[in-house]
Amino acid sequence: MVGLPADMGFEKGGEEAVEIALPDGTIMKMCPESYASFILFPMLTSLVNGRIVMLGDPGLGKTQIATLMGQMTGLPLPAIRAGMVNGHPQLTMADLFGNLDLAEYAKGNISPVWRDIVKSRFRFVNEFNRIPTKTQSGLLAALAEQFVELFNSTFEMKDAPWFFTANEANGGGTYQVIAALWDRMDASVRATPVNAHYLEKARGIDNRADFPEHLRLSEEETKVINKRIEGLPVDKAAEERLTYFFSQLNACEKAAEDVNHRFKSHIVEGEKRGDALWSGAHDDANEYIGAQIENTVGTRIYFSIIRYAKALAWFRGKEQVETEDIAAVLPAVMSHRIKPNRSAQAEDRWAWVSKLWQKAMDRYDERERNTDRLSLARLKEELGTIPLSDQPARIEQYMKEFTAQMDGSAGIEELLSMKLLYEETMRKVKEQGITLIARPRPPRPPRHRGKAGGTILTPEEVLAMHQAGRMPAIGSWVRIPGMDLLVSPHTVTNKEIGKWMKKGGYKRDEGWSEAGGKWREEEKIVRPAYWDVPRFNQPEQPVVGFSWYEAEAYLGSKGLMFLTEAQWEEVARGGLRGKTYPWGDEEPTAELAHFEQPGNTGAPLNVTQLFRPNNYGVFHMAGNVWQWCQDCHDSNKNTKVLRGGSWSRAAVLLRVAYRGYYAPDGRFNGIGCRAARTP
């Protein structure tokens, strides 16, 4: 096979990939170590005795690739063809696995004549999506149990690779392939046309007849390679990342009241398309990857990933599996096994799976940068320093602290792991006859996060993230140079207010001033003014219709504060003295700020939408939404200062020096707020 594009690649030996930008913004990479997935994954399947389905239109070489892989296992062409089954609508179990032995039947015995596919060390089912459902069920049993039962006889099959093809790229065909059979496929690849540049070279070549002898593997050689692959270790950090990825995919806060059942597997099938995958203003599909898929990702997929990652690492000559190997095999192993939810942009399944992984890894890295974050790993480290008699009480206390930092569905699986650790520890205590001693817990080291929590970044770190096409997470902070001050890089979002509301923000008195509480009761305020308006209520949009009184209560309940007017202007300027706007003197454009102009979206932008920060790493200090300040306006002591302009106001109001004001109970759809705190 020649002319297939290399669609997978790795940097190698310090040599970086070359990037070519296409007009639509897509980046094509040319890597020093590169492979064509349509060839690589069938090869890996042969080496680990996996199951792979090759998808694509007729004439793209699926059957030829499968035949080549059969030759690589050392089988001659006649044996490969004898072991191949072509799917068709009338295919029966007997056609697939064996017929009645008529000679034995004449003697009064009922037994089968087994077909070559059950005896071979290479198995190939062509166009398996044309097989009737009943026969698919028999095939599923053979894949699951590694034996075939026919005419009261049983044949135990040797471990061997299975190759399947389907002529339609989406897997459709004469019969719908049953979900359980899809799940038994370790990997899937899509056929790619031969590049036109190579068509002349490809003419007249028969790769099946000309297969190089030195590439054929004997049965013994295949076993040795398989054993080496199986024994390849997995880097602990890489395995932790994969485990985290799975925990994010499966947990679902709203699946059940019982925390032990808060997984998508506990949602009634017909309700998985509804609101069950979202949790109020968080767990939205834009941030929480678990909300993008409907089905549960099981352990079979996990072990397929490990299996193929080991094979890839061995093939690349590595001594252990690393994160890049896991990331490389994920699309092939998962794209045919997970079901996108209604909001998922999953037209290209391979790219979509890679994006899910990258989003999870960004969140994982953000979490790891927070040195004070509670986690199962850190709990285990701490338990290693205290006596067994003290450990149950410490785990219990640690779990209580951990739940305070949980965000929607994220953390549910880790919390349940702590519960299992507690139960295991209690069993050890009882087995050893140890009396539990209630000792005072040693004080925790002081936290730099304070009540509000969140990762603290420098302006340089935010600017580097922006340069790399990433945005700081909601809930993070920027340390302002020369000031004893931490400022949120984003204005307060609907997601954050939703969590506050869920904890009784409008019902409890915490944070509410006397004037604000009185206004709340008299006006029966229970939510922001535009909370139920789709144009303004998306989780990552800044909260609007949020009065100064409401902002005061929210910030006060979390130990946060408004910026004073002087602080706001200092932060907005970002170190640029005497300039008109946060970015300098250049007149506002759509690339610099979101304000009233032709083509305006008619609503605030999501705060995590890639946008340009100022030099202090703070976003939207001009435009998007007005920001309440602590101060009263000097022209009217009954009003509060507003700064920054908004999505619905003219460019002239974006000037750093411009001062607006509004009544503290005002709830306009262009007014939000920004949080600040001391370090």
Side-chain angles (χ1 to χ4, degrees):
M1 296 293 290
V2 294
L4 294 181
D7 54 353
M8 296 175 57
F10 305 89
E11 296 180 354
K12 188 175 183 180
E15 187 179 354
E16 297 181 352
V18 176
E19 295 187 349
I20 306 295
L22 276 63
D24 64 357
T26 305
I27 300 296
M28 180 178 71
K29 288 188 175 183
M30 296 185 290
C31 301
E33 181 185 356
S34 56
Y35 306 99
S37 61
F38 188 44
I39 297 177
L40 176 64
F41 280 98
M43 289 179 64
L44 300 182
T45 298
S46 296
L47 297 176
V48 298
N49 292 327
R51 294 95 175 253
I52 189 170
V53 56
M54 295 181 288
L55 305 167
D57 296 328
L60 294 182
K62 301 185 298 297
T63 301
Q64 188 175 22
I65 286 289
T67 304
L68 287 170
M69 295 305 109
Q71 290 180 286
M72 192 179 78
T73 62
L75 294 177
L77 270 176
I80 294 170
R81 289 167 178 154
M84 182 174 73
V85 172
N86 289 306
H88 58 80
Q90 288 78 41
L91 191 75
T92 65
M93 286 284 289
D95 296 329
L96 185 59
F97 295 126
N99 281 320
L100 182 65
D101 189 332
L102 296 179
E104 288 296 316
Y105 184 72
K107 300 175 185 178
N109 301 321
I110 298 178
S111 61
V113 176
W114 298 107
R115 293 195 177 278
D116 288 343
I117 191 171
V118 301
K119 297 180 287 185
S120 177
R121 56 190 179 91
F122 176 83
R123 304 185 179 108
F124 180 23
V125 181
N126 199 23
E127 297 186 30
F128 86 120
N129 55 333
R130 299 187 67 216
I131 297 176
T133 304
K134 182 178 180 180
T135 309
Q136 286 186 37
S137 298
L139 179 58
L140 172 62
L143 291 172
E145 306 298 337
Q146 285 290 86
F147 71 83
V148 178
E149 193 170 4
L150 200 64
F151 301 121
N152 297 321
S153 297
T154 300
F155 189 97
E156 291 193 14
M157 296 185 292
K158 292 182 179 180
D159 200 14
W162 285 81
F163 283 76
F164 299 84
T165 68
N167 272 343
E168 294 189 17
N170 63 2
T174 309
Y175 290 92
Q176 183 72 31
V177 178
I178 58 179
L181 186 54
W182 270 121
D183 191 54
R184 292 288 173 177
M185 303 296 164
D186 291 307
S188 68
V189 288
R190 295 185 181 278
T192 306
V194 173
N195 187 277
H197 178 70
Y198 287 93
L199 287 177
E200 185 64 31
K201 294 182 180 181
R203 185 178 300 167
I205 294 178
D206 185 354
N207 285 306
R208 293 171 296 183
D210 302 331
F211 193 87
E213 285 298 322
H214 69 280
L215 294 181
R216 295 181 187 271
L217 299 173
S218 67
E219 186 173 2
E220 188 57 37
E221 286 174 323
T222 303
K223 287 180 180 178
V224 170
I225 291 173
N226 192 294
K227 190 172 183 179
R228 288 177 180 172
I229 290 173
E230 190 175 319
L232 207 64
V234 180
D235 176 63
K236 183 179 179 182
E239 195 164 12
E240 285 179 358
R241 286 177 177 271
L242 180 60
T243 302
Y244 176 81
F245 181 55
F246 269 61
S247 72
Q248 298 298 291
L249 290 174
N250 287 334
C252 182
E253 186 181 36
K254 292 182 70 177
E257 289 187 19
D258 187 339
V259 178
N260 299 283
H261 297 163
R262 288 185 177 178
F263 296 95
K264 277 179 282 189
S265 57
H266 284 267
I267 305 175
V268 177
E269 182 63 31
E271 296 177 358
K272 288 184 180 179
R273 296 183 181 277
D275 294 333
L277 299 181
W278 286 266
S279 300
H282 49 282
D283 280 8
D284 60 286
N286 291 324
E287 180 171 336
Y288 184 64
I289 62 171
Q292 286 210 23
I293 70 169
E294 291 188 6
N295 58 310
T296 300
V297 181
T299 54
R300 187 177 294 117
I301 298 178
Y302 180 91
F303 289 118
S304 293
I305 292 169
I306 294 296
R307 192 181 192 186
Y308 275 75
K310 284 186 174 185
L312 177 61
W314 176 87
F315 185 80
R316 297 177 61 206
K318 298 174 66 174
E319 295 183 356
Q320 68 172 358
V321 175
E322 296 174 333
T323 301
E324 64 174 359
D325 303 303
I326 291 174
V329 304
L330 278 175
V333 174
M334 296 186 69
S335 60
H336 62 288
R337 288 160 135 173
I338 57 178
K339 184 178 181 182
N341 194 37
R342 60 185 180 184
S343 64
Q345 302 296 316
E347 290 79 8
D348 181 348
R349 288 287 186 92
W350 272 53
W352 176 60
V353 171
S354 293
K355 288 176 182 177
L356 291 180
W357 169 261
Q358 189 55 56
K359 187 175 282 289
M361 292 305 99
D362 287 345
R363 190 164 183 169
Y364 180 90
D365 291 337
E366 183 81 26
R367 188 185 72 159
E368 290 302 300
R369 280 194 293 269
N370 182 357
T371 57
D372 199 44
R373 181 188 60 83
L374 304 181
S375 69
L376 177 65
R378 289 174 182 171
L379 171 59
K380 288 180 177 179
E381 289 178 7
E382 186 174 330
L383 294 180
T385 65
I386 62 177
L388 182 60
S389 58
D390 288 354
Q391 290 182 16
R394 180 64 192 115
I395 297 172
E396 179 184 344
Q397 179 61 33
Y398 200 95
M399 290 174 69
K400 291 177 180 178
E401 296 175 5
F402 179 82
T403 57
Q405 72 173 25
M406 285 177 60
D407 181 11
S409 299
I412 287 176
E413 187 154 322
E414 196 166 14
L415 178 66
L416 293 178
S417 296
M418 292 179 188
K419 178 186 176 183
L420 291 173
L421 179 61
Y422 176 83
E423 293 169 351
E424 291 170 3
T425 304
M426 287 299 294
R427 279 197 295 271
K428 290 180 183 178
V429 167
K430 292 177 182 178
E431 288 170 359
Q432 298 181 28
I434 295 175
T435 301
L436 295 178
I437 302 173
R439 297 182 182 177
R441 182 169 62 88
R444 289 178 57 82
R447 301 187 180 192
H448 70 274
R449 298 191 311 162
K451 185 175 181 180
T455 302
I456 297 175
L457 303 167
T458 64
E460 292 75 19
E461 287 174 322
V462 176
L463 293 170
M465 291 173 69
H466 177 261
Q467 188 72 21
R470 297 168 49 220
M471 295 286 278
I474 294 172
S476 57
W477 300 92
V478 180
R479 190 182 298 276
I480 303 302
M483 303 175 71
D484 190 28
L485 187 67
L486 301 177
V487 172
S488 171
H490 311 297
T491 47
V492 175
T493 62
N494 288 321
K495 174 182 177 178
E496 292 166 296
I497 297 304
K499 291 166 64 176
W500 176 64
M501 290 167 60
K502 188 175 180 181
K503 294 180 179 179
Y506 281 95
K507 298 175 182 178
R508 299 187 302 172
D509 291 333
E510 184 181 10
W512 289 91
S513 64
E514 182 179 350
K518 181 179 179 181
W519 167 78
R520 177 193 61 180
E521 296 301 323
E522 290 178 351
E523 299 297 327
K524 296 181 172 53
I525 303 297
V526 295
R527 64 178 65 86
Y530 296 89
W531 193 251
D532 297 322
V533 180
R535 189 157 57 104
F536 299 108
N537 69 0
Q538 300 309 301
E540 294 188 354
Q541 281 183 302
V543 63
V544 294
F546 201 56
S547 70
W548 189 91
Y549 287 141
E550 291 164 283
E552 178 190 38
Y554 167 74
L555 297 173
S557 69
K558 298 178 71 65
L560 306 176
M561 62 187 185
F562 292 105
L563 289 170
T564 66
E565 194 174 6
Q567 288 172 332
W568 188 95
E569 187 162 331
E570 180 71 19
V571 172
R573 291 191 180 280
L576 297 178
R577 302 298 175 190
K579 300 297 182 181
T580 307
Y581 303 102
W583 54 83
D585 290 327
E586 182 183 349
E587 288 300 311
T589 65
E591 288 71 37
L592 295 171
H594 186 47
F595 60 99
E596 183 185 29
Q597 59 183 320
N600 188 312
T601 61
L605 299 176
N606 284 2
V607 300
T608 54
Q609 183 172 331
L610 192 62
F611 217 77
R612 178 175 169 177
N614 72 359
N615 288 347
Y616 282 171
V618 184
F619 296 82
H620 294 300
M621 291 304 285
N624 215 34
V625 292
W626 290 101
Q627 298 164 44
W628 289 114
C629 290
Q630 178 66 46
D631 311 65
C632 295
H633 197 274
D634 46 18
S635 67
N636 186 340
K637 297 300 182 182
N638 294 321
T639 61
K640 292 293 183 178
V641 171
L642 290 171
R643 300 297 292 263
S646 82
W647 64 272
S648 62
R649 291 295 182 260
V652 67
L653 306 186
L654 304 182
R655 292 179 293 117
V656 175
Y658 185 84
R659 304 173 68 225
Y661 60 91
Y662 215 61
D665 60 357
R667 308 178 88 204
F668 173 54
N669 64 16
I671 297 178
C673 68
R674 187 181 298 273
R677 68 181 177 96
T678 55

